[in-house]
Amino acid sequence: MNLHDISVNDKEVIERGIALLKEGDREGFVSYLKELRRSSYLLASLLNVGASTYLHSHSEAVRKGARLLPRVAGKPTLAVYLFSWLGYSKRMLGEIESSDVYFTKEMETAEMIGDPARAFRARLDILYNRFMKAEFEALYRELQRITAEGSFSDDYDIQYMLAALETIMGRPKKAIEIARAFLARSEGEKVQKATMKEVLGFAIRMSGKIEEAFRLYLEATDELLDIGSAYACFPCAKALELSRLAKIGPVPRSTVKRCLRLVRGTGWEWAASVEIEALISEDDAEASERVFEAAQSYYRSYQPIEALT
């Protein structure tokens, strides 16, 4: 069947591909993309940017996405996807101001085409950039106001930020409640479940339960590796840190190698890969020097929590 026939609009075509990415069905996605190229090269190219974003190949996503900007001009239903993916990838590369620009374009375009849910998601992404800039107290107040409104109180991004903020602000017990409540749901994307486990591990570590935190970091790493996400480097680095400092573990070498193979370009994942390589070094002096280098990279990439922990 032609994927791009008259009965299927462009948004439905893109959403089908996104669903495969969220399910972690890489083989199904590749097959879908190959078939889509026969009917619409533009939609296939756009979805390819989405794939690079979901798999955390952000330099690649920005490069591909920049080429598509002129081609989606005048096509707002497609432009909102591209703005969103470019905003996210720019964030992951540490280019927060540029990220804000793209998320603002996404929000304005979504409002123009009458898509309030997408406009709200773009607004949340702009708020998340405030998290990256360590504007914690102001962001916490804004999230509390949003959750009081009720309609989006169970949203993943809101719950993720609240759990992280509760931990940062010295209330890990509350953070644990938030994260566990989210993980107890039957629904949820694989990447969301895995990254929430990472936040839960952070809260539990701050509660002094080191071995449980280590286990959660390893679980999150494995789940992210299963879907081919370079974000796996983050929980992997946290697990290695606990393994080295608290003498627990170890983190399997095969896991470490799989994480490092996924890293491309610069930004968050590159900083995490530097930390991983530091923590597996047998030379303590070299390890300390490289951990400091990783901390500087985290700071430049607007990762205040990673820079300090």
Side-chain angles (χ1 to χ4, degrees):
M1 185 189 89
N2 189 336
L3 286 171
H4 196 226
D5 62 28
I6 195 167
S7 65
V8 181
N9 64 38
D10 291 346
K11 181 177 179 179
E12 289 173 336
V13 170
I14 296 297
E15 289 294 337
R16 286 181 185 178
I18 292 173
L20 291 169
L21 289 169
K22 289 179 176 179
E23 291 164 8
D25 185 358
R26 297 185 71 180
E27 185 176 335
F29 176 79
V30 170
S31 176
Y32 183 83
L33 195 65
K34 184 177 180 180
E35 187 176 348
L36 180 58
R37 280 199 183 96
R38 299 193 185 105
S39 53
S40 175
Y41 191 79
L42 173 58
L43 292 183
S45 298
L46 180 60
L47 201 47
N48 207 10
V49 176
S52 296
T53 305
Y54 276 97
L55 298 176
H56 285 256
S57 297
H58 297 293
S59 296
E60 186 177 277
V62 168
R63 186 177 66 254
K64 293 174 180 176
R67 291 199 297 262
L68 284 183
L69 283 169
R71 298 181 63 191
V72 299
K75 299 181 176 68
T77 55
L78 300 183
V80 288
Y81 290 101
L82 187 57
F83 293 151
S84 176
W85 292 331
L86 285 172
Y88 186 80
S89 289
K90 286 287 189 177
R91 173 199 288 161
M92 295 297 285
L93 293 170
E95 300 175 29
I96 300 298
E97 289 76 13
S98 181
S99 173
D100 276 338
V101 169
Y102 282 117
F103 285 136
T104 300
K105 286 182 178 181
E106 179 194 6
M107 183 172 65
E108 292 171 347
T109 305
E111 289 171 347
M112 181 184 73
I113 63 176
D115 190 344
R118 178 171 282 278
F120 180 79
R121 298 224 58 77
R123 177 187 169 200
L124 279 184
D125 275 316
I126 293 168
L127 286 175
Y128 192 87
N129 282 354
R130 296 180 69 180
F131 180 87
M132 308 318 302
K133 291 184 277 190
E135 298 173 8
F136 299 137
E137 291 187 6
L139 175 58
Y140 185 78
R141 288 193 297 271
E142 178 67 11
L143 290 175
Q144 287 292 313
R145 190 184 67 76
I146 291 171
T147 54
E149 294 172 359
S151 56
F152 290 95
S153 59
D154 290 335
D155 181 86
Y156 160 77
D157 289 308
I158 291 176
Q159 296 304 303
Y160 178 94
M161 285 189 277
L162 282 174
L165 288 168
E166 293 287 3
T167 306
I168 292 164
M169 298 170 81
R171 297 185 291 268
K173 184 177 179 181
K174 179 62 176 174
I176 291 167
E177 291 174 4
I178 293 170
R180 282 184 171 154
F182 181 88
L183 290 169
R185 301 179 196 172
S186 58
E187 78 281 2
E189 300 168 19
K190 289 183 178 180
V191 68
Q192 291 180 350
K193 295 280 191 177
T195 51
M196 190 63 83
K197 274 190 181 179
E198 181 196 17
V199 172
L200 177 58
F202 175 46
I204 285 176
R205 176 185 176 181
M206 293 300 103
S207 300
K209 299 175 182 177
I210 303 301
E211 290 189 2
E212 186 178 353
F214 177 80
R215 176 182 60 78
L216 285 163
Y217 288 148
L218 273 188
E219 286 180 9
T221 301
D222 289 340
E223 288 168 18
L224 289 161
L225 285 173
D226 284 345
I227 60 174
S229 174
Y231 191 89
C233 289
F234 280 92
C236 182
K238 292 180 175 71
L240 282 166
E241 182 182 331
L242 292 183
S243 179
R244 182 153 188 155
L245 298 179
K247 308 301 181 185
I248 58 175
V251 178
R253 282 299 175 118
S254 59
T255 298
V256 173
K257 289 178 181 178
R258 288 175 68 196
C259 287
L260 293 176
R261 279 199 296 267
L262 290 171
V263 177
R264 299 182 183 89
T266 59
W268 295 14
E269 288 89 5
W270 182 83
S273 73
V274 171
E275 184 181 10
I276 287 172
E277 290 175 341
L279 291 167
I280 60 176
S281 172
E282 295 181 0
D283 186 299
D284 288 340
E286 180 186 351
S288 297
E289 184 178 335
R290 297 218 67 191
V291 166
F292 179 69
E293 180 186 345
Q296 290 179 310
S297 298
Y298 282 134
Y299 183 79
R300 287 192 296 269
S301 299
Y302 291 90
Q303 282 286 294
I305 299 172
E306 308 293 342
L308 296 171
T309 58

